[in-house]
Structure formats: structure tokens, C-alpha cells
């Protein structure tokens, strides 16, 4: 009998403190992390933040990514009254992930067992009713802070899941980086639109000294001795001022300018698609952090409840030992004391996991230093029956909304335009050219004859048709081959991206459907386990039940409750992952 008690309490502690643990990894891709195209919209690379895996039934949690943390889920929020057929969802309250431990959830056994009279008048091993002093104190504190004459500064209300996701999608640093990248693409597009604009090359200068150069202004001989060359007589020296310039306006380029503008127009499309991909990833990570916090908070409540149950069990064992009951022995006291210390040690890991989730929430919300970001407290089970979409519908949404497909399509158009430009580079460009040259020298006579050469005082200007081109044919051949190869490569990558997205959506959808079915089954199993525990507690308290029956019931209830909490966590996270892999806009996700 003691052997069964040992096994049951051990399994219950492992389930409560380890099996239902959940780790949040900032930057993880969650369920179904598939491949996405690179930042240029031309390739397929893995998700920008890795893949995070939460722990399963073994009680361990493994994670690949940039951060780790452990958070333990609560084994359900079932009703504490007999006859209740399903779990009850308490109203959300404010949680900021502080150091104060939250109150425990409803007792594992119905209140009818605690209040049932027994012939022996002995105390049952069911836990004490849940106490609410911490929650009441928190509500009073909030009421004082919200009062009109309150002296404390007013804090922003706790964020809901939708508010946290929206804040992350707009203010995360990666989104700001993607927005800057989009502005760069817009500037490049503007540059391609104005590629036809003439490039005016203008030079303005002044120099000296200039020797004296005087004649009759008609190209005749010098009129002053200083104007003669070959001696050191410079006469009355002066300075010269000059300005010249030229420009070419393209008239016909065989379609190169139009192709350049078309390629540049794909830049903003590509930048917007890449920014939307970052927003989807950030929004998913915000949901992951939110659900991880809720799971950690509920797990801490569960550990508090386990501690209370162990305390009650220790008191009951002590009472039975005094009565010299054959049901227990002194060894059971040592076991319960050991397990209580183990639970206390595990609380540190749970608190650390909750703090990590809150730190991730603050990072994703881009909160300034010192600002406390609070989120509402809610249970993970869904309030409404929200069935996941069919696989065909999910694939259709992904083909329609995935930003990677938009980005790679824009990249293909840009590459096609580049190939056209390389093909037309063999032909020259025709344009309208203009130039001018103005010079004035203070120590030289301006020549009035058009046949006289005058480098000191010149005024010329002209406009004409020009043809410009180069004859580096081998270089152009290589550039054309390179452009065609890049286009073929991008087209192959487009096919790979379509296949990878279909595989990713199929994987995530399958995991969501499986998690949904598992959560529904475990919810029904928890109801049965709750009734089993009620009967076992009542029989043990009356003295008609054995310790083995009580341990088996408690072990089954602890296991199914932990599995149920983890399964609903997987459902909520799976729905967020499905929204990410389908690329559906936020308006369609609600």
C-alpha cells in the first residue's frame, strides 16, 4: 500500500512541476516552422527566428533559439462543485509577472467532499478551499489608483492578446528596420522614375594672373608691347572668370528606360511584402509570449495547490500514525516531506519562466526602460467553439496572402526587366545634347571677328542630336547571360517557395487539428477523473477505500489535468501559427 502511495505522489509531483512545463523562446517559429524566402524575395530560407519546442509528457522541455525559460501550466480550471460537467473560465485579471505568487485554482476535489460528514469525524485529505486575499488586495489597490483623488500616477491598463499583437506589429524594432528598408526601396523607385532627367554638368571657376593681351578686336597684331610673347613683360595682368556646362536628354533608348522604371516599381512591392512577413513573425511571437505567460502563471498556481495538498496529506498521515492505522507508516511522512521540498525548489524555475515571458513581452512591445507592461490573466481553454479551417481553405489563404509569394513575384518582374535592359544594351541611345562655354578676362581684348581665336573671352552655346553607345560586346554578352541565369534561378525558387508553403501549411494545420482533438478528448477525460477523485476521497475519508484507490485517482487526475492544460496551450499557439503560415491579414484572424 505504501508502494502505491509513493508511486502516486511521485507521479503527481512530476506532472505538476515538470511535465506541464512550457518554455518560451523569443524568436521561435512555433509549430510548423517552415521555409520562407530570403529578404530579397528571391530565395527560400528558414524562419528568421528558429524553432521552439515546448516540453511534452516526459517532464522536460527543450528549446532551440535565443532564449530559454520554464513555465508550468495549470491542470485545468475545473469547477469545484459536484455535478459540473465542464471547466469554468474565470474573468481575466491583471498580471504583470511580478514576484508575488498568485492565488491557487479551485481545489482538486469537489467541495462536497470537504464538507461531507463522516462517521469518524476525521479530516479528509482533500485540499482547503481556495483563498482570495491576494486578488482582493490587488483589486483594492487598482480601485485606489483609479480614484479621482488618487495621488499615485495612473498606469496604462493591462494589454489583451489583440492589443499586444498589434503593438508588437507596429513598434517592434524589426518592424522599424523593415520600414526603413521599405523607404529605401521607395527611394530607388523614385530614382528609376527620374532616370531620364538630364544630368547637367556645370563648371564655374576663376583664375589668374593673366598677362595683358590687347589688339584691335578683329584678330590683328598686338597693340601693346606687353602683349608680345617671349619676354617677361606681362603688362597689366588680370584675372579670368569662366563657366561651362553640358547635358543630354534621352529621346529614344530602345525601351531601356521603361524597363528600368518597371523594375524599380517592384521595389516598394518587395519592401512592403518583407515588412508584412516581419510583422507576421513578430505577431506570432507576441502571441507565443502571451500564451507562455498564461501557462506559467497557471503552472505556479498549480504548484501552490500541490503544496497545499501535500500539507494536508502530511497532516492526515500524522493523524493516522497517532491512531496506529495500518494504512500508513513513518516512511510516508518522510516521502511527503521530501516531495514538499522538491515542489518548493521547482517554484524557482516556474517563476523564472514567467519572468522570461514578461521580459519577452516587454521586448516585443518595444517598451521603454522602466515601463512595466502588464497583460490580462486568462485561462488557455477557448471560450467558444472555434473550429480550425479546412486544409483546402488554409492552402487557399496561403496562396492569396503569404507575403513571400508577393515578394518573389515582384522579384521575377524586376529580373525580367533586367534581362530586357541587358538585351537592349547592344543598341545605342539617342538624345538631345546641349552645351555652353562662357569666359571673361579683365586683361584681354574681346575678339569680335568669328575667325579670330579667343581663349580669354569666349561665348559659345549649342544644341544637337547625339548618339551614345559602347562596343564592349564580350562584357555585354556576359552580363546578359548572368541576368538570364538569375531569372531562371528565381523562377525555380518560386516553385520551391510554393511547395514549401504548402508543406508548411499542411504540417501546421495537421498539428492544430491533432491538438484540437486531443484537447477536446482530455477535457472530457478530466471530467471523468474529477468524478473519480470525488468518489475516492469520499471512500477514503469514510474508511471504506484503500490508499491505492486514492493514489490512483489522484495520479490520473493530475496527469490528465496537466495534459489538458498543455493541449489547450498547443491549440491556442497552433491557431496563431496557422494565421502566420497562411499570412492572413489581422482583420481576417478575428
Amino acid at each position: 500500500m505504501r508502494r502505491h502511495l509513493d508511486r502516486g505522489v511521485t507521479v503527481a509531483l512530476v506532472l505538476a512541476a515538470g511535465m506541464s512545463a512550457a518554455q518560451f523562446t523569443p524568436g521561435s517559429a512555433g509549430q510548423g516552422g517552415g521555409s520562407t524566402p530570403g529578404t530579397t524575395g528571391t530565395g527560400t530560407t528558414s524562419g528568421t527566428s528558429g524553432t521552439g519546442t515546448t516540453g511534452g509528457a516526459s517532464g522536460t522541455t527543450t528549446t532551440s533559439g535565443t532564449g530559454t525559460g520554464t513555465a508550468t501550466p495549470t491542470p485545468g480550471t475545473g469547477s469545484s462543485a459536484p455535478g459540473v460537467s465542464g471547466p469554468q473560465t474565470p474573468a481575466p485579471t491583471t498580471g504583470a509577472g511580478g514576484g508575488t505568487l498568485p492565488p491557487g485554482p479551485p481545489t482538486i476535489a469537489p467541495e462536497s467532499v470537504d464538507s461531507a460528514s463522516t462517521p469518524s469525524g476525521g479530516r479528509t485529505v482533500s485540499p482547503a478551499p481556495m483563498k482570495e486575499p491576494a486578488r482582493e488586495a490587488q483589486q483594492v489597490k487598482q480601485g485606489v489608483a483609479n480614484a479621482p483623488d488618487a495621488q499615485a500616477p495612473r498606469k496604462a491598463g493591462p494589454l489583451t492578446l489583440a492589443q499586444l499583437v498589434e503593438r508588437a506589429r507596429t513598434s517592434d524594432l524589426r518592424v522599424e528596420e523593415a520600414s526603413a528598408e521599405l523607404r529605401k526601396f521607395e527611394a530607388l523607385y523614385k530614382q528609376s522614375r527620374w532616370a531620364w532627367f538630364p544630368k547637367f554638368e556645370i563648371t564655374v571657376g576663376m583664375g589668374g594672373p593673366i598677362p595683358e593681351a590687347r589688339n584691335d578686336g578683329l584678330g590683328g597684331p598686338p597693340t601693346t608691347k606687353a602683349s608680345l610673347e617671349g619676354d617677361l613683360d606681362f603688362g597689366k595682368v588680370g584675372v579670368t572668370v569662366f563657366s561651362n556646362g553640358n547635358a543630354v536628354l534621352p529621346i529614344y533608348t530602345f525601351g531601356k528606360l521603361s524597363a528600368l522604371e518597371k523594375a524599380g516599381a517592384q521595389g516598394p512591392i518587395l519592401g512592403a511584402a518583407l515588412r508584412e512577413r516581419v510583422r507576421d513573425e513578430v505577431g506570432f511571437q507576441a502571441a507565443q509570449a502571451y500564451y507562455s505567460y498564461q501557462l506559467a502563471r497557471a503552472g505556479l498556481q498549480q504548484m501552490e495547490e500541490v503544496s497545499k495538498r501535500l500539507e494536508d496529506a502530511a497532516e492526515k498521515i500524522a493523524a493516522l500514525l497517532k491512531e496506529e492505522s495500518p494504512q500508513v507508516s513513518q516512511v510516508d511522512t518522510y516521502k511527503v516531506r521530501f516531495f514538499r521540498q522538491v515542489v518548493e525548489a521547482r517554484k524557482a524555475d516556474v517563476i523564472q519562466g514567467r519572468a522570461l515571458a514578461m521580459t519577452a513581452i516587454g521586448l516585443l512591445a518595444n517598451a521603454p526602460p522602466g515601463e512595466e507592461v502588464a497583460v490580462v490573466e486568462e485561462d488557455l481553454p477557448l471560450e467558444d467553439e472555434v473550429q480550425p479551417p479546412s486544409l483546402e481553405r488554409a492552402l487557399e489563404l496561403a496562396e492569396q496572402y503569404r507575403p513571400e509569394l508577393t515578394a518573389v513575384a515582384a522579384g521575377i518582374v524586376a529580373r525580367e526587366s533586367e534581362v530586357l535592359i541587358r538585351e537592349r544594351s547592344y543598341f545605342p541611345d539617342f538624345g538631345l545634347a546641349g552645351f555652353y562655354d562662357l569666359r571673361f578676362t579683365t586683361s584681354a581684348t574681346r575678339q569680335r571677328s568669328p575667325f579670330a581665336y579667343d581663349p580669354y573671352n569666349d561665348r559659345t552655346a549649342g544644341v544637337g542630336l547625339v548618339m551614345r553607345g559602347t562596343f564592349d560586346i564580350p562584357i555585354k554578352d556576359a552580363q546578359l547571360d548572368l541576368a538570364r541565369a538569375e531569372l531562371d534561378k528565381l523562377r525555380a525558387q518560386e516553385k520551391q517557395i510554393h511547395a514549401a508553403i504548402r508543406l508548411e501549411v499542411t504540417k501546421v494545420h495537421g498539428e492544430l487539428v491533432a491538438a484540437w482533438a486531443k484537447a477536446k478528448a482530455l477535457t472530457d477525460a478530466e471530467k471523468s477523473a474529477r468524478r473519480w477523485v470525488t468518489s475516492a476521497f469520499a471512500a477514503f475519508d469514510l474508511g471504506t477505500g484503500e490508499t491505492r484507490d486514492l493514489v490512483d485517482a489522484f495520479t490520473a487526475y493530475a496527469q490528465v489535468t496537466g495534459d489538458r492544460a498543455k493541449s489547450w496551450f498547443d491549440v491556442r499557439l497552433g491557431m496563431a501559427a496557422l494565421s502566420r503560415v497562411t499570412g492572413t491579414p489581422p482583420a481576417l484572424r478575428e
Side-chain angles (χ1 to χ4, degrees), residues 254-316:
F254 293 93
K256 290 191 283 288
L257 284 178
S258 299
L260 179 61
E261 182 178 354
K262 185 178 180 180
Q266 308 308 311
I269 299 175
L270 176 63
L274 296 179
R275 185 178 65 176
E276 189 63 25
R277 186 186 67 171
V278 173
R279 285 178 173 176
D280 290 343
E281 185 67 25
V282 168
F284 170 75
Q285 292 177 2
Q288 188 180 28
Y290 179 87
Y291 294 141
S292 297
Y293 167 76
Q294 302 299 341
L295 194 58
R297 176 190 59 81
L300 189 58
Q301 291 180 350
Q302 176 64 16
M303 297 196 72
E304 288 291 326
E305 199 63 28
V306 169
S307 298
K308 181 61 180 175
R309 281 155 179 71
L310 289 175
E311 181 181 354
D312 292 342
E315 294 178 1
K316 182 63 176 178

Side-chain angles (χ1 to χ4, degrees), residues 446-462:
R446 177 179 177 274
Q447 303 300 307
R448 293 173 293 173
S449 172
F451 302 101
Y453 174 67
D454 188 0
Y456 301 104
N457 298 279
D458 190 15
R459 292 182 296 181
T460 58

Side-chain angles (χ1 to χ4, degrees), residues 2 63 131 173 348 353 419 445 465 467:
R2 289 192 298 271
T63 300
K131 299 179 181 180
L173 295 179
V419 170
T445 303
L465 292 174
M467 180 183 71

Side-chain angles (χ1 to χ4, degrees), residues 76-213:
T77 54
S79 170
S80 59
V84 178
S85 60
Q88 295 180 352
T89 302
T93 56
T94 304
T100 304
L101 299 180
T107 59
I108 187 171
E111 294 179 0
S112 59
V113 178
D114 295 329
S115 60
S117 59
T118 61
S120 61
R123 183 176 178 183
T124 64
V125 294
S126 60
M130 182 178 62
K131 299 179 181 180
E132 294 285 345
R135 183 170 298 179
E136 292 179 359
Q138 188 179 18
Q139 292 175 353
V140 172
K141 181 179 178 181
Q142 292 176 353
V144 173
N146 295 330
D149 56 346
Q151 299 298 329
R154 186 182 300 271
K155 294 183 179 180
L159 299 177
T160 63
L161 174 61
Q163 292 171 344
L164 175 62
V165 170
E166 182 61 26
R167 181 168 174 177
R169 285 175 57 88
T170 56
S171 59
D172 186 82
L173 295 179
R174 287 167 292 177
V175 177
E176 293 183 1
E177 180 184 0
S179 298
E181 190 75 10
L182 173 59
R183 293 197 300 271
K184 184 190 78 172
F185 282 119
E186 291 174 346
L188 291 175
Y189 173 48
K190 184 178 181 180
Q191 181 179 346
S192 66
R193 288 179 55 193
W194 288 93
W196 60 270
F197 194 79
K199 180 181 179 181
F200 293 91
E201 296 181 359
I202 298 177
T203 303
V204 178
M206 181 178 67
I210 305 298
E212 184 177 12

Side-chain angles (χ1 to χ4, degrees), residues 3 9 44 175 232 243 245 286 291 363 414 465-466 520 557 565-566:
R3 178 173 58 86
V9 176
T44 303
V175 177
L232 299 178
S243 176
Y291 294 141
L363 272 174
L465 292 174
V466 296
K520 298 283 288 183
Y557 183 82
K566 180 60 171 58

Side-chain angles (χ1 to χ4, degrees), residues 522-540:
L522 290 176
T523 300
D524 296 336
E526 186 188 32
K527 298 175 185 178
S528 301
R530 188 184 298 112
R531 298 187 184 99
W532 186 8
V533 169
T534 301
S535 302
F537 271 123
F540 184 81

